Amino acid sequence: MSAARPDRRVVVVTRRLPAAVEEGLAREFDARLNADDHPFSKSELENALRTADGLLPTVTDRLTAQVLAVEPLRVRVIANYGVGFNHIDAAAAKGRGVVVTNTPDVLTDDTADDAIMLMLMVARRGGEGERHVRSGAWTGWRPTHMLGTRVSGKTLGLVGLGRIGRAVAHRARHGFGMRVIFHDPYPPPAAVVAELGAEPRSSVDDVLREADFVSLHSPATPETRHLIDARRLALMKRGAFLINNARGDIVDETALAAALTQGTIAGAGLDVFEREPAVTPDLLAMENVVLLPHLGSATEETRVAMGLRALDNLRAFFVGAPPRDRVA
Ligand code: DGY
């Protein structure tokens, strides 16, 4: 932690960040770093809002309207480390005159890679196979052992065709020769869709009925909460797989566990959970479910880029320029 200097803005950073990012923050600000990387409590967040000029939070910090109602409020900018900002009540922040920024673009490719990894792992039984070898149960190659489902040439249904959805579409089409269908209430321009070779469908339901793999790429909003519920899971093909590395609460996790138990769908690849880090216990016991600990953007390269992007947003704000990634 750098020594406090009266001419420097105080920025509270809620989690450990890659060294290059922490060094950059400490060079430019009176950065209050989280040396032991503990998750901030509500009162620590409130204290940061009262005592800092800027806050650099992550997805694990719940900046609700109640937390943002602190008095006196000193923070003027919240530079979120991440593209998704559903953990921040952006309307409440705006109401209090606090600018909110995020870190889009820099994590698109890695998050798309993560979705493809989940799809391959669950279809080709990667997690299950790894457990099998490690447990010592493998007795050798045989023609009928651990057969999975082919990915190449199948139909991928995307719910959401924003930056990450488009990067997944590109990989699926050009890497795996998949047919890509999608639904997005705010689709990209027709030329972008045509270049991707993606086919629009008029509803989420239509995507679910047709796809062999359904991958979720919507933001978490009140409208998308439990978008994938028991009714919609029942529309999917029995042999289909659900992939989610967007946000946990887009899926009703209890309904998903029931659908998997009943064989309504074939499997799921999940990187995010409704009550993270808790996972619905039934899912933990299922071999046809791949569970990853929110790794979408977790590469050295991207986590540095996310931090530098948040730093850019803070720097711009404090010199009085419009931050590039303002979301509220
Ligand atoms: C993101 O960027 O939204 C990641 O999920 C981490 O918050």
Side-chain angles (χ1 to χ4, degrees):
M1 192 182 300
S2 60
R5 277 190 9 206
D7 57 322
R8 300 214 302 172
R9 307 287 187 166
V10 175
V11 173
V12 169
V13 182
T14 66
R15 300 307 293 255
R16 286 309 304 263
L17 298 178
V21 179
E22 290 191 343
E23 283 157 22
L25 286 161
R27 254 194 314 275
E28 297 192 38
F29 304 109
D30 178 3
R32 310 274 164 93
L33 305 175
N34 178 353
D36 65 7
D37 202 24
H38 67 280
F40 267 31
S41 65
K42 181 166 172 278
S43 70
E44 283 175 297
L45 286 174
E46 287 169 343
N47 192 41
L49 291 169
R50 283 193 205 99
T51 56
D53 303 298
L55 180 66
L56 196 158
T58 75
V59 66
T60 58
D61 301 307
R62 288 179 44 72
L63 291 156
T64 60
Q66 195 199 14
V67 170
L68 287 160
V70 291
E71 291 294 353
L73 174 67
R74 174 168 160 188
V75 156
R76 310 296 346 142
V77 58
I78 297 175
N80 184 53
Y81 182 88
V83 67
F85 56 94
N86 57 305
H87 53 289
I88 302 171
D89 189 325
K94 195 171 174 193
R96 300 225 58 196
V98 176
V99 165
V100 180
T101 63
N102 69 345
T103 60
D105 306 321
V106 291
L107 46 66
T108 300
D109 284 329
D110 286 340
T111 307
D113 291 351
D114 179 75
I116 296 288
M117 171 167 70
L118 285 167
M119 182 166 70
L120 288 169
M121 279 180 78
V122 70
R124 298 300 305 273
R125 303 173 65 172
E128 189 184 349
E130 231 246 349
R131 286 189 290 278
H132 187 67
V133 173
R134 284 182 188 274
S135 73
W138 188 33
T139 56
W141 191 90
R142 54 201 191 276
T144 56
H145 185 221
M146 218 171 254
L147 305 187
T149 300
R150 178 181 299 158
V151 170
S152 295
K154 295 286 177 65
T155 297
L156 172 64
L158 298 174
V159 178
L161 198 65
R163 281 177 289 255
I164 296 168
R166 295 200 290 270
V168 173
H170 181 83
R171 284 157 174 72
R173 204 167 142 69
H174 298 288
F176 299 95
M178 297 180 89
R179 180 167 165 238
V180 179
I181 61 174
F182 75 95
H183 176 74
D184 192 322
Y186 308 101
V192 172
V193 174
E195 202 192 323
L196 277 174
E199 302 168 33
R201 293 292 178 268
S202 54
S203 67
V204 171
D205 290 8
D206 286 348
V207 170
L208 297 178
R209 284 190 193 98
E210 212 179 321
D212 300 305
F213 296 87
V214 172
S215 192
L216 306 178
H217 301 288
S218 308
T221 62
E223 294 73 41
T224 62
R225 184 179 147 72
H226 286 187
L227 183 75
I228 305 299
D229 57 8
R231 182 189 73 77
R232 286 206 166 103
L233 287 162
L235 296 177
M236 290 176 66
K237 296 180 181 177
R238 280 187 89 79
F241 296 87
L242 180 72
I243 307 300
N244 186 15
N245 76 347
R247 280 293 181 264
D249 51 9
I250 299 175
V251 177
D252 177 344
E253 213 169 282
T254 307
L256 174 63
L260 288 161
T261 303
Q262 290 153 18
T264 309
I265 66 172
L270 307 173
D271 188 55
V272 288
F273 303 89
E274 223 185 315
R275 289 165 288 274
E276 260 175 61
V279 177
T280 298
D282 285 352
L283 295 176
L284 297 170
M286 293 177 183
E287 289 288 14
N288 55 341
V289 179
V290 171
L291 306 166
L292 297 181
H294 203 141
L295 293 181
S297 61
T299 66
E300 203 56 50
E301 294 89 336
T302 284
R303 291 287 165 87
V304 170
M306 288 163 70
L308 297 180
R309 189 81 170 229
L311 175 56
D312 274 357
N313 286 317
L314 287 167
R315 184 187 299 121
F317 178 84
F318 286 123
V319 299
R324 177 174 178 184
D325 305 311
R326 182 170 179 168
V327 292

